[in-house]
Amino acid sequence: MNAAPDAVGAGTTGPGSVAEAVAVQEELRPLVDLVGPGPSAPATVAGLDVAYAEGGDLLAAAVTVLDARTLAVVESAVGVGRPAFGYVPGLFAFRELPALLAALDRLTAVPDLLVCDGHGLAHPRRFGLACHLGVVTGLPAIGVAKTPLVGVWDPPAAERGSWSSLRDGGEVVGRVLRTRDGVKPVFVSVGHRMSLENATAQVLALTPRYRLPETTRTADRLCRDALAEAQQAR
């Protein structure tokens, strides 16, 4: 699962400017597979999340791999380091990608699907974190976000499983999905090698009890714990 530096987008140091980062996104965007259909019954699903220190000078990236049938964590890994890029909306992938890839490389087995705490196609340049990770690793990937980055939508019905289209510039870029009855929806978009229909089905399978997928919940806990440990070790 090792990614070539050029595919990551700038070798060992990352892009040197906003213009360079945008150019990388524009270069890699045509490589995204938005059709899939992707695995309908994955055996393992990986959640990816990043926690930042209050001062923003340290981050911890976590990957938790779940058995897709039981939702039990079967493997996990973390990567701790400094953000690799500045805080620029729409370019978060460049901050987080090196640490996330380091965590993925520590896994002993390749997961069948990546579930990112963020966006995929639902991005100003149609190349969010889930797209970037999918292209770099070659793995099926989807984005599940708590809040939107782009687009307009009608509220979905109140029942679990209801959804409405997330549209931006007249284009469907994702779905606004209700994972719990009467609870705020999440924002689902394709990252790579997945159809939107399948991405929606996978998110519902990963949310049997809570609003957020179990992949996100477990990765969130792990990266927060890893960050706290790293701060204590300073």
Side-chain angles (χ1 to χ4, degrees):
M1 207 168 9
N2 290 315
D6 287 346
V8 174
T12 58
T13 60
S17 68
V18 169
E20 287 181 12
V22 170
V24 169
Q25 289 182 332
E26 298 288 357
E27 180 181 355
L28 297 182
R29 182 176 57 188
L31 304 179
V32 175
D33 176 356
L34 299 174
V35 178
S40 59
T44 56
V45 183
L48 300 97
D49 199 6
V50 176
Y52 290 88
E54 189 171 335
D57 63 336
L58 185 71
L59 62 78
V63 179
T64 52
V65 181
L66 276 60
D67 179 305
R69 183 178 60 85
T70 66
L71 300 184
V73 177
V74 296
E75 189 176 8
S76 62
V78 297
V80 177
R82 296 186 179 278
F85 195 73
Y87 182 89
V88 182
L91 298 176
F92 281 6
F94 294 98
R95 290 173 64 80
E96 304 177 352
L97 204 65
L100 285 170
L101 291 175
L104 282 167
D105 280 343
R106 293 188 178 104
L107 298 177
T108 60
V110 178
D112 295 330
L113 174 65
L114 304 181
V115 180
C116 301
D117 179 34
H119 297 279
L121 185 66
H123 178 274
R125 284 174 293 280
R126 307 296 186 259
F127 197 73
L129 175 63
C131 295
H132 208 146
L133 268 170
V135 167
V136 168
T137 63
L139 298 176
I142 61 177
V144 184
K146 306 174 191 71
T147 57
L149 184 59
V150 296
V152 296
W153 67 95
D154 294 322
E159 295 77 25
R160 167 177 159 83
S162 300
W163 59 268
S164 60
S165 293
L166 178 64
R167 296 179 178 274
D168 185 48
E171 178 184 0
V172 174
V173 294
R175 284 181 178 175
V176 184
L177 176 65
R178 193 85 65 183
T179 56
R180 306 301 303 156
D181 289 354
V183 173
K184 287 191 299 184
V186 296
F187 297 81
V188 179
S189 57
V190 172
H192 185 55
R193 294 180 56 198
M194 288 288 287
S195 69
L196 185 54
E197 190 71 31
N198 192 13
T200 304
Q202 298 306 320
V203 173
L204 285 173
L206 291 166
T207 52
R209 294 179 295 275
Y210 300 100
R211 175 192 178 217
L212 297 178
E214 290 301 303
T215 42
T216 300
R217 286 166 45 79
T218 54
D220 175 74
R221 286 195 296 268
L222 181 58
C223 66
R224 289 179 186 275
D225 289 346
L227 180 63
E229 184 177 335
Q231 288 178 301
Q232 289 176 355
R234 280 180 155 186

